[in-house]
Amino acid sequence: MRTFRSRKHTATLGAVTAVLALALTACGGDETGTKSAGPADNTATVSSSQPSTDATTTDDKKAGDAAQNTGATKTGTKTGSSGTSGGSTSGGNTSDSYAYKHPCQSGDLSVRVYPLEGSTTQHVIEVNNTGANSCGLSYFPRVSLGASKASDHSGDITPAVPGGLGGAPAYPVKPKTAAIAVIDLNPAGKGGVTWVNEMNVLADGDHMPNADTQNFELGPDVKVGDPKLGLYRSTVADAVSSMKTAGN
């Protein structure tokens, strides 16, 4: 009787042990599969998506750099060619030889007329080159003296100028410099007409149209008699000296 109970108890313990062993085996297999599958999936996702993103970014950057380089090259070429031809605002052509072949344009000039300090009859005609390149002017400005409200200017007075002209084909004016001429309305300082109240100045009578003539008011008390006009010079003093030779 004791022997039968002992066998039954032993068999029961063996069955329980077997069941526990199977359960542990099954749990151990699931845990191992989960660990190996997880990292493998993540690695595949990163390796398949990251290179694609990097390639797109790199290609876009290269394309952008290429576009910028092309634009910079085109801009540089235009600037260079403009500078070579003397049309650039920086590095323009300032040689006299260039000026001899390129007459000044009225749009590149600023003309001023004002009384010469210390004189009651002399005026300064100042022609400034506001362009980027040197340009050439006629030897002296074309000047006439008349009445501003006159309908007929055929009777306007023209000043005497120096004779025996020759030499360079034009008077060269560099950028940001002035050509200066001086006119004496009444060298003798006595007599003269009183109806003149306007001076008409054409900076270059050899190349500019009459439409580019500019008018300057002289005032109500001007007396004009045998006026004299000098050649363009770089200083007022030299312009006065030239004016004194007019008519000779």
Side-chain angles (χ1 to χ4, degrees), residues 10-238:
T10 300
T12 300
L13 289 175
V16 171
T17 301
V19 170
L20 288 174
L22 289 174
L24 290 173
T25 300
C27 291
D30 290 343
E31 182 179 0
T32 303
T34 302
K35 288 183 179 180
S36 61
D41 291 344
N42 291 338
T43 301
T45 301
V46 173
S47 61
S48 63
S49 61
Q50 188 65 35
S52 176
T53 302
D54 291 345
T56 302
T57 303
T58 302
D59 291 343
D60 289 345
K61 183 177 185 300
K62 288 181 178 179
D65 291 344
Q68 291 178 358
N69 290 337
T70 302
T73 302
K74 288 182 179 180
T75 302
T77 301
K78 290 181 180 179
T79 302
S81 62
S82 178
T84 302
S85 65
S88 173
T89 55
S90 59
N93 198 315
T94 60
S95 67
D96 288 353
S97 59
Y98 183 89
Y100 295 150
K101 298 178 181 179
H102 296 81
C104 296
Q105 304 296 314
S106 59
D108 291 329
L109 301 177
S110 174
V111 181
R112 295 177 58 206
V113 172
Y114 53 90
L116 178 61
E117 186 177 358
S119 174
T120 58
T121 60
Q122 296 177 8
H123 286 68
V124 177
I125 301 172
E126 181 183 297
V127 180
N128 293 276
N129 180 3
T130 60
N133 308 298
S134 291
C135 61
L137 290 171
S138 52
Y139 289 156
F140 53 87
R142 180 184 293 173
V143 177
S144 64
L145 304 162
S148 59
K149 296 182 179 179
S151 57
D152 181 8
H153 289 275
S154 61
D156 285 2
I157 300 172
T158 57
V161 296
L165 303 180
Y171 181 83
V173 190
K174 297 183 183 299
K176 307 302 182 288
T177 60
I180 298 173
V182 170
I183 184 172
D184 194 330
L185 302 180
N186 192 349
K190 59 182 179 180
V193 298
T194 58
W195 51 268
V196 173
N197 64 0
E198 183 179 68
M199 184 187 302
N200 309 303
V201 178
L202 182 61
D204 188 335
D206 292 342
H207 301 96
M208 293 180 179
N210 290 333
D212 289 339
T213 300
Q214 299 186 39
N215 313 110
F216 299 90
E217 183 178 354
L218 293 176
D221 300 322
V222 173
K223 292 182 179 180
V224 177
D226 300 322
K228 291 184 176 183
L229 173 67
L231 305 180
Y232 280 128
R233 292 291 184 260
S234 59
T235 67
V236 172
D238 288 345

